[in-house]
Amino acid sequence: MLKRSKWISYPVNMGFECPVIFKSFKTEKEIKRATLTISARGCYYATLNGERIGNFIFAPGATSLKRVQVQSYDVTNMLGFDNTIEVTLSKGWFQGRIDWRGSNDYPNDYEAVIAELSVTYKDGSCESIVTDESWSARRSAVRFSDFYDGEHYDATFIDESIVGVKVQNYDNGILVPQQGEFVVEHERIRPINIFKTPKGELVIDFGQNLTGYFEIFVNAKSGERVSFSFAEVLDVEGNFYTENYRSAKAEFLYTCCDGEQSYKPKLAFWGYRYIRVNEFPCEVTLDSVVAIVVHSDIKRTGYLESSSPLLNKLFKNIIWGQKGNFLDIPTDCPQRDEREGWTGDAQVFCRTASYNYDVEKFFEKWLTDLKIDQGDDGGVPSIVPQYWGDGWSGCGWGDASTICPWQIYLTYGNKDILRKQYSSMCKWLKYIALKSKNRYLWTGCEHFADWLGLDAPAGSYKGSSNDDFLASAYYLYSTSLVIKAGKVLGRSVQKYEALYERILKAIRKKFKKYKTQTECVIALHFGIAPDKEKTAKQLADMIIAKGTRLQTGFLGTPYLLHALSDNGYSELAYDLLLQEAFPSWLYSVKQGATTIWEHWDGVNEKGEFWSKDMNSFNHYAYGAVADWVYGVSCGIKTVDEFPGFERIVIAPIPTDKLDFMSAQIQTRRGLVSSKWFHEGGTIRYEITTPSRTTIIIDGKEYNVEKGSYIF
Ligand code: BGC
């Protein structure tokens, strides 16, 4: 791609200052069509005659460092007689602080642009303008830009010293067509309050923890400044709190020109609910700034509703958690010095994500990067794209390589994802066998395991569940998914079937007892527990002994309610779902959360923070509980043999604890919805299905075709 174009950059490394690469040209005939094909190392913000080209924010997106996506924009209506194309470049994911390789280690690795503008004239002739030595460069008004630290824009800055560009001999072979969704602007949210904190700081509250940027409106004299800091929460005294952003400075600085003006940051984003106004040239009002939500352009498909306002708020928070963390890659959180594609978080949330939104294309791209960054030994990096680390993988994190493709296949019914990922799935199993100290188990390796489980020993982030047990269980589970995927693709899976039996036997032999909630959950959900009834009772007893409270972390939580309801304890599952005291999903809601928290007591009952190092208030992982509401409470289940909702099982499990629950998923085949509610002493079910469905109500099966049904 872009074979005739050259990679060009500013002639010297500009650090975190953004250069502009530009070219002026004339088009002297009537234009039929003009297309700009463009990409960059770093992120680009391109304009033609002063107008932004396209709506892709942070183009060309976040990919493995081994490939860069190329975009094409129709610019026919943007061209005039005299034209200037300008491309502002930031380090973005490529070499900003988010890429933990550290830009200092790569002083000769420049952000660079490559582009071709193809113009077809009405007379049939064509012309191409390609990036080459004829382009020029200057320093831009974006004086500083980094995802973690923010942006400084100086509206008074003019660089008179135009210089020639440097042609870089970067490989064009890494260019690939755009694969993912564009990241675009979504809602604009007005502030709900402006107030002074006890410390006397001026703070704007948007009422919603969100990811994106904002637009400011200001009347100023040249040189006056707007300076903002960002926070997700206030501390117990009501003061502005930024410690949980860790080393991310998360600032915004704008130097004004004269008069009325507005500005939107070009190449940075923040995760925030509150803005502290450090400097502002005029009175700050509710009209001074509007928040702009930015995320991948995924289409909403799923909706949940219940008779409980708290639960409904939780459902909203789950959606906000997804919006805030689906910014080209599935990130752990959008605010502190991470914002990385943590594999564990992505696999935990993948099913919920795929019901809430159409994320097929989004995951296809991310999984392609996972496969590209997977080591030769099969190791899956803890974060994808792999901006740091040595490909070390732990259980439940590396297993994103098997769990996500299988889920995307189940939700959307397209075999392509399995075809593309199958070799990566198999390689992952090889990696486990290679690293494990025991045959047919996964032992002796390092894991994040039940990350942030509440049964963690003092001073540790890791729950008390046995690493070797969890790892071996995931080995078993991933093997089962390779078998399923292999069968779909018509591959011979005998060796994996034999492996599965051996792992199961070895786990059962070695791990006879389960000592934590998460161990019980995993033993039940992955079909390991030989005596399900006994293990389910143990789990239920443990939960009740804690006062009907969970103790689970990243690996136990997603399957906790499933393990209960699959084994006769659906009422206990509802008790946990509806639990309002710490620790629970609704605890954070009662504390005023507007997104999903990373830790069950991000803010504890005294109003204090549990930690400053690991305390994000926008971490979607525990939002995975939504898939239990879709799939068990409302009972909408995919069928392995008929994926993509070609056939459906709908088996709702209602409760007396709620008046109603309803779920809707706009599938590729049409709307599937399931609602149950109490009416006149009985329960009424309203079900709509787009395909042949087995409805199971009170143990009775009804086989129905597409349509709407009432029971
Ligand atoms: C991230 C997590 C991630 C974890 C690994 C954290 O710092 O924020 O969500 O999965 O590290 O355990």
Side-chain angles (χ1 to χ4, degrees), residues 185-192 204-217 228 230 264 270 272-275 286 288-294 320:
E185 290 183 1
H186 290 265
E187 305 87 317
R188 290 170 78 91
I189 299 185
R190 280 172 56 81
I192 57 163
I204 304 174
D205 179 6
F206 290 88
Q208 175 62 54
N209 196 5
L210 57 92
T211 303
Y213 42 75
F214 44 84
E215 182 162 11
I216 52 163
F217 305 90
F228 289 163
F230 300 82
K264 285 195 288 188
W270 296 262
Y272 68 99
R273 169 175 169 168
Y274 300 97
I275 288 182
L286 294 175
S288 300
V289 54
V290 60
I292 300 175
V293 177
V294 169
W320 275 104

Side-chain angles (χ1 to χ4, degrees), residues 386-438:
Q386 188 183 2
Y387 294 137
W388 58 264
D390 54 5
W392 166 81
S393 319
C395 74
W397 270 253
D399 298 280
S401 57
T402 57
I403 295 171
C404 296
W406 180 249
Q407 185 57 52
I408 294 302
Y409 169 69
L410 278 188
T411 305
Y412 304 108
N414 185 349
K415 280 185 200 174
D416 280 355
I417 191 85
L418 298 182
R419 236 176 252 128
K420 287 182 194 151
Q421 298 301 127
Y422 190 65
S423 59
S424 149
M425 295 169 82
C426 297
K427 245 171 109 179
W428 171 239
L429 296 187
K430 265 197 189 158
Y431 171 85
I432 299 173
L434 183 78
K435 298 286 163 180
S436 177
K437 300 279 173 283
N438 282 76

